[in-house]
Amino acid sequence: MEKRFDANRFRVLSGSAIKMIALAVMILDHIGASLLIKAPFANQTLFCVFSHNITLYWIVRAVGRLAFPMYCFLLTEGFRYTRSREKYGVNLLLFALISEIPWNLEHSGRFFYKTQNVFFTLFLGFLAMYFYEKYRNDQRKMFFSLLAIFVVSIVLRSDYGSKGVGFILFLHMMKDHRAVRDIVGSCFLSNPGIVIFSFVPIEMYNSKRGFIRTKAAKYLFYAAYPVHILILYFIRNAVYGY
Protein backbone atom coordinates (compact mmCIF):
# COMPACT_ATOMS: atom_id res chain seq x y z
CA MET A 1 0.00 0.00 0.00
CA GLU A 2 1.42 3.36 -1.05
CA LYS A 3 2.17 5.72 1.83
CA ARG A 4 0.98 9.30 1.55
CA PHE A 5 3.30 12.17 2.35
CA ASP A 6 2.57 13.55 5.81
CA ALA A 7 3.88 17.11 6.18
CA ASN A 8 2.89 17.18 9.85
CA ARG A 9 5.82 14.87 10.64
CA PHE A 10 8.18 17.74 9.84
CA ARG A 11 6.33 20.38 11.85
CA VAL A 12 8.51 20.13 14.92
CA LEU A 13 9.30 23.78 15.71
CA SER A 14 7.31 25.70 18.30
CA GLY A 15 6.84 29.45 18.14
CA SER A 16 9.55 29.81 20.80
CA ALA A 17 12.01 27.78 18.71
CA ILE A 18 11.39 29.97 15.67
CA LYS A 19 11.85 33.05 17.87
CA MET A 20 15.28 31.82 18.93
CA ILE A 21 16.28 31.01 15.34
CA ALA A 22 15.12 34.45 14.18
CA LEU A 23 16.99 36.14 17.05
CA ALA A 24 20.24 34.28 16.34
CA VAL A 25 20.05 35.03 12.61
CA MET A 26 19.26 38.71 13.27
CA ILE A 27 22.22 39.13 15.62
CA LEU A 28 24.47 37.44 13.05
CA ASP A 29 23.21 39.84 10.39
CA HIS A 30 23.89 42.88 12.57
CA ILE A 31 27.36 41.61 13.44
CA GLY A 32 28.03 41.53 9.72
CA ALA A 33 26.59 44.99 9.08
CA SER A 34 28.28 46.61 12.06
CA LEU A 35 31.62 44.81 12.43
CA LEU A 36 32.49 42.49 9.54
CA ILE A 37 31.84 45.09 6.86
CA LYS A 38 35.19 46.72 7.70
CA ALA A 39 37.12 43.56 8.54
CA PRO A 40 39.63 42.63 5.80
CA PHE A 41 39.43 38.89 6.53
CA ALA A 42 35.65 38.96 6.14
CA ASN A 43 35.85 40.60 2.70
CA GLN A 44 38.34 38.22 1.12
CA THR A 45 36.92 36.06 -1.66
CA LEU A 46 36.29 32.50 -0.52
CA PHE A 47 34.96 31.22 -3.86
CA CYS A 48 33.01 32.41 -6.87
CA VAL A 49 29.50 31.57 -8.02
CA PHE A 50 28.60 32.70 -11.55
CA SER A 51 31.38 35.31 -11.44
CA HIS A 52 30.11 36.62 -8.10
CA ASN A 53 32.70 36.78 -5.34
CA ILE A 54 31.48 35.09 -2.18
CA THR A 55 32.97 36.44 1.05
CA LEU A 56 32.33 35.71 4.72
CA TYR A 57 30.61 39.10 4.94
CA TRP A 58 28.30 38.20 2.04
CA ILE A 59 27.42 34.85 3.61
CA VAL A 60 26.63 36.42 6.98
CA ARG A 61 24.42 39.11 5.44
CA ALA A 62 22.68 36.56 3.19
CA VAL A 63 21.83 34.39 6.18
CA GLY A 64 20.71 37.53 7.98
CA ARG A 65 18.05 38.16 5.33
CA LEU A 66 16.13 35.23 6.80
CA ALA A 67 15.39 36.99 10.09
CA PHE A 68 12.82 39.59 9.03
CA PRO A 69 10.35 37.16 7.39
CA MET A 70 10.43 34.96 10.49
CA TYR A 71 9.77 37.93 12.76
CA CYS A 72 6.88 38.98 10.52
CA PHE A 73 5.40 35.50 10.69
CA LEU A 74 5.72 35.48 14.47
CA LEU A 75 3.96 38.84 14.54
CA THR A 76 1.01 37.46 12.57
CA GLU A 77 0.79 34.49 14.93
CA GLY A 78 0.96 36.78 17.95
CA PHE A 79 -1.79 38.94 16.48
CA ARG A 80 -3.87 35.85 15.85
CA TYR A 81 -3.62 34.35 19.33
CA THR A 82 -3.00 37.24 21.72
CA ARG A 83 -5.53 37.83 24.49
CA SER A 84 -5.42 41.59 23.97
CA ARG A 85 -4.56 43.01 20.57
CA GLU A 86 -4.54 46.54 21.98
CA LYS A 87 -1.90 45.62 24.58
CA TYR A 88 0.09 43.75 21.96
CA GLY A 89 0.17 46.86 19.79
CA VAL A 90 1.17 49.09 22.71
CA ASN A 91 4.11 46.78 23.50
CA LEU A 92 5.31 46.96 19.90
CA LEU A 93 5.15 50.76 19.92
CA LEU A 94 6.88 50.94 23.30
CA PHE A 95 9.84 48.87 22.12
CA ALA A 96 9.96 50.83 18.86
CA LEU A 97 10.51 53.97 20.93
CA ILE A 98 13.00 52.26 23.26
CA SER A 99 14.98 50.89 20.30
CA GLU A 100 15.24 54.21 18.51
CA ILE A 101 18.28 55.60 20.36
CA PRO A 102 20.35 52.38 20.00
CA TRP A 103 19.32 52.26 16.32
CA ASN A 104 20.35 55.89 15.74
CA LEU A 105 23.67 55.47 17.55
CA GLU A 106 24.51 52.30 15.64
CA HIS A 107 23.76 53.86 12.26
CA SER A 108 25.04 57.41 12.69
CA GLY A 109 26.86 57.67 16.02
CA ARG A 110 24.33 60.35 17.00
CA PHE A 111 20.96 60.40 18.71
CA PHE A 112 19.13 61.13 15.45
CA TYR A 113 19.08 59.26 12.16
CA LYS A 114 17.02 59.54 8.99
CA THR A 115 15.42 56.08 9.18
CA GLN A 116 13.55 54.27 11.97
CA ASN A 117 14.11 50.85 13.49
CA VAL A 118 12.27 47.69 12.46
CA PHE A 119 9.96 47.72 15.49
CA PHE A 120 8.17 50.64 13.83
CA THR A 121 7.66 48.44 10.77
CA LEU A 122 6.28 45.65 12.94
CA PHE A 123 3.99 48.11 14.73
CA LEU A 124 2.67 49.48 11.43
CA GLY A 125 2.21 45.91 10.19
CA PHE A 126 0.22 45.22 13.34
CA LEU A 127 -1.98 48.27 12.61
CA ALA A 128 -2.48 47.07 9.04
CA MET A 129 -3.72 43.69 10.29
CA TYR A 130 -5.85 45.37 12.97
CA PHE A 131 -7.69 47.65 10.55
CA TYR A 132 -7.92 44.94 7.92
CA GLU A 133 -9.84 42.80 10.41
CA LYS A 134 -11.82 45.67 11.90
CA TYR A 135 -13.10 47.00 8.58
CA ARG A 136 -13.51 43.77 6.60
CA ASN A 137 -17.16 44.66 6.04
CA ASP A 138 -16.44 48.28 5.17
CA GLN A 139 -14.15 48.40 2.14
CA ARG A 140 -13.98 52.20 2.10
CA LYS A 141 -12.74 52.49 5.68
CA MET A 142 -10.35 49.60 5.14
CA PHE A 143 -8.85 51.24 2.06
CA PHE A 144 -8.25 54.62 3.65
CA SER A 145 -6.96 53.10 6.91
CA LEU A 146 -4.44 50.94 5.08
CA LEU A 147 -3.49 53.81 2.77
CA ALA A 148 -2.74 56.00 5.80
CA ILE A 149 -0.56 53.27 7.33
CA PHE A 150 1.46 52.84 4.13
CA VAL A 151 1.92 56.61 3.83
CA VAL A 152 3.18 56.75 7.42
CA SER A 153 5.65 53.93 6.71
CA ILE A 154 7.03 55.92 3.77
CA VAL A 155 7.27 59.17 5.74
CA LEU A 156 8.88 57.48 8.75
CA ARG A 157 11.30 55.57 6.51
CA SER A 158 11.06 52.61 8.85
CA ASP A 159 13.31 49.62 8.18
CA TYR A 160 11.97 47.61 5.19
CA GLY A 161 9.45 50.44 4.69
CA SER A 162 6.12 49.97 2.98
CA LYS A 163 7.28 46.64 1.51
CA GLY A 164 7.74 45.31 5.01
CA VAL A 165 4.27 46.46 6.08
CA GLY A 166 2.75 44.95 2.94
CA PHE A 167 4.64 41.72 3.57
CA ILE A 168 3.18 41.44 7.08
CA LEU A 169 -0.35 42.07 5.84
CA PHE A 170 0.12 39.53 3.04
CA LEU A 171 1.29 36.84 5.50
CA HIS A 172 -1.79 37.52 7.60
CA MET A 173 -4.15 37.33 4.63
CA MET A 174 -2.54 34.12 3.33
CA LYS A 175 -2.31 32.33 6.69
CA ASP A 176 -4.48 29.48 5.40
CA HIS A 177 -2.76 29.24 2.00
CA ARG A 178 0.74 28.02 2.75
CA ALA A 179 2.03 27.49 -0.78
CA VAL A 180 0.90 30.91 -2.01
CA ARG A 181 2.21 32.53 1.16
CA ASP A 182 5.66 30.98 0.79
CA ILE A 183 6.20 31.41 -2.94
CA VAL A 184 4.64 34.83 -3.46
CA GLY A 185 5.75 36.09 -0.05
CA SER A 186 9.40 35.48 -0.86
CA CYS A 187 9.07 37.86 -3.82
CA PHE A 188 7.92 40.78 -1.67
CA LEU A 189 11.43 41.50 -0.42
CA SER A 190 14.80 41.75 -2.13
CA ASN A 191 16.77 38.58 -2.88
CA PRO A 192 13.79 36.18 -3.17
CA GLY A 193 16.18 33.31 -3.90
CA ILE A 194 17.53 33.74 -0.38
CA VAL A 195 14.36 34.84 1.40
CA ILE A 196 12.51 31.70 0.32
CA PHE A 197 14.65 29.74 2.80
CA SER A 198 13.14 31.70 5.69
CA PHE A 199 9.91 29.81 5.02
CA VAL A 200 11.59 26.49 5.85
CA PRO A 201 11.36 26.98 9.65
CA ILE A 202 7.98 28.65 9.14
CA GLU A 203 6.72 25.51 7.40
CA MET A 204 8.08 23.47 10.30
CA TYR A 205 5.93 25.42 12.78
CA ASN A 206 3.70 23.14 14.83
CA SER A 207 1.30 25.86 16.07
CA LYS A 208 2.51 25.43 19.66
CA ARG A 209 3.68 28.30 21.83
CA GLY A 210 6.78 26.60 23.19
CA PHE A 211 8.96 27.46 26.17
CA ILE A 212 8.72 31.29 26.04
CA ARG A 213 5.61 31.68 28.18
CA THR A 214 6.19 34.07 31.07
CA LYS A 215 5.96 37.84 30.75
CA ALA A 216 9.59 38.18 31.78
CA ALA A 217 10.74 35.84 28.99
CA LYS A 218 8.57 37.65 26.45
CA TYR A 219 9.95 41.06 27.35
CA LEU A 220 13.51 39.75 27.41
CA PHE A 221 12.97 38.56 23.84
CA TYR A 222 11.74 42.05 22.88
CA ALA A 223 14.60 43.73 24.75
CA ALA A 224 17.21 41.63 22.94
CA TYR A 225 16.79 43.87 19.88
CA PRO A 226 17.80 47.26 21.36
CA VAL A 227 20.30 45.70 23.78
CA HIS A 228 22.33 43.83 21.17
CA ILE A 229 22.35 46.86 18.85
CA LEU A 230 23.75 49.01 21.67
CA ILE A 231 26.39 46.39 22.49
CA LEU A 232 27.49 46.23 18.85
CA TYR A 233 27.70 50.03 18.76
CA PHE A 234 30.12 50.05 21.71
CA ILE A 235 32.18 47.19 20.25
CA ARG A 236 32.45 48.96 16.91
CA ASN A 237 33.57 52.15 18.64
CA ALA A 238 36.22 50.23 20.55
CA VAL A 239 37.49 48.41 17.45
CA TYR A 240 37.11 50.99 14.68
CA GLY A 241 36.78 54.26 16.63
CA TYR A 242 33.44 55.39 15.15
Side-chain angles (χ1 to χ4, degrees):
M1 183 176 179
E2 184 179 352
K3 293 184 178 180
R4 298 183 63 182
F5 176 75
D6 183 11
N8 290 323
R9 291 192 310 164
F10 299 95
R11 295 190 177 123
V12 295
L13 297 179
S14 66
S16 298
I18 296 177
K19 283 181 180 180
M20 299 310 296
I21 294 172
L23 177 61
V25 170
M26 177 186 67
I27 292 175
L28 182 66
D29 181 49
H30 291 169
I31 289 173
S34 185
L35 302 177
L36 296 184
I37 188 172
K38 293 292 185 178
F41 74 90
N43 289 279
Q44 294 178 353
T45 300
L46 300 175
F47 53 91
C48 294
V49 176
F50 301 115
S51 301
H52 183 81
N53 295 331
I54 304 299
T55 64
L56 176 61
Y57 170 76
W58 184 93
I59 294 172
V60 167
R61 297 307 308 277
V63 173
R65 297 302 89 195
L66 308 183
F68 182 70
M70 284 188 276
Y71 273 105
C72 292
F73 172 75
L74 292 168
L75 175 67
T76 64
E77 286 296 294
F79 178 85
R80 189 176 184 181
Y81 293 111
T82 184
R83 295 178 181 178
S84 172
R85 287 178 175 175
E86 289 74 15
K87 187 175 181 179
Y88 191 41
V90 169
N91 285 336
L92 290 170
L93 178 58
L94 176 62
F95 276 91
L97 297 173
I98 291 173
S99 302
E100 194 60 13
I101 289 179
W103 168 269
N104 293 342
L105 287 173
E106 201 276 334
H107 281 81
S108 68
R110 299 185 296 272
F111 288 107
F112 299 98
Y113 187 58
K114 59 186 178 180
T115 65
Q116 319 307 320
N117 69 82
V118 75
F119 257 114
F120 280 103
T121 307
L122 297 177
F123 173 66
L124 292 173
F126 163 84
L127 289 181
M129 292 188 291
Y130 182 86
F131 287 115
Y132 172 79
E133 292 295 335
K134 183 175 181 178
Y135 296 131
R136 293 193 75 162
N137 297 321
D138 191 330
Q139 298 296 316
R140 184 172 178 273
K141 287 184 178 180
M142 181 194 294
F143 172 78
F144 284 107
S145 297
L146 294 179
L147 177 62
I149 291 169
F150 281 105
V151 169
V152 170
S153 70
I154 294 171
V155 173
L156 277 182
R157 300 182 68 180
S158 56
D159 200 17
Y160 287 92
S162 57
K163 282 187 178 181
V165 176
F167 180 73
I168 293 168
L169 182 59
F170 176 79
L171 292 185
H172 175 67
M173 294 170 64
M174 295 291 109
K175 58 181 178 291
D176 297 321
H177 305 279
R178 290 174 178 264
V180 175
R181 179 196 65 190
D182 297 356
I183 296 172
V184 178
S186 65
C187 298
F188 261 81
L189 308 173
S190 57
N191 299 316
I194 295 174
V195 172
I196 188 65
F197 290 101
S198 64
F199 288 95
V200 173
I202 291 173
E203 279 295 331
M204 297 174 69
Y205 176 55
N206 60 14
S207 299
K208 296 180 180 179
R209 187 173 182 179
F211 51 86
I212 299 178
R213 292 181 175 272
T214 65
K215 286 186 178 181
K218 180 180 71 174
Y219 287 122
L220 280 174
F221 176 74
Y222 282 170
Y225 178 74
V227 168
H228 92 274
I229 289 178
L230 196 59
I231 291 172
L232 287 175
Y233 164 72
F234 288 126
I235 293 175
R236 190 186 66 194
N237 267 355
V239 175
Y240 296 115
Y242 73 93

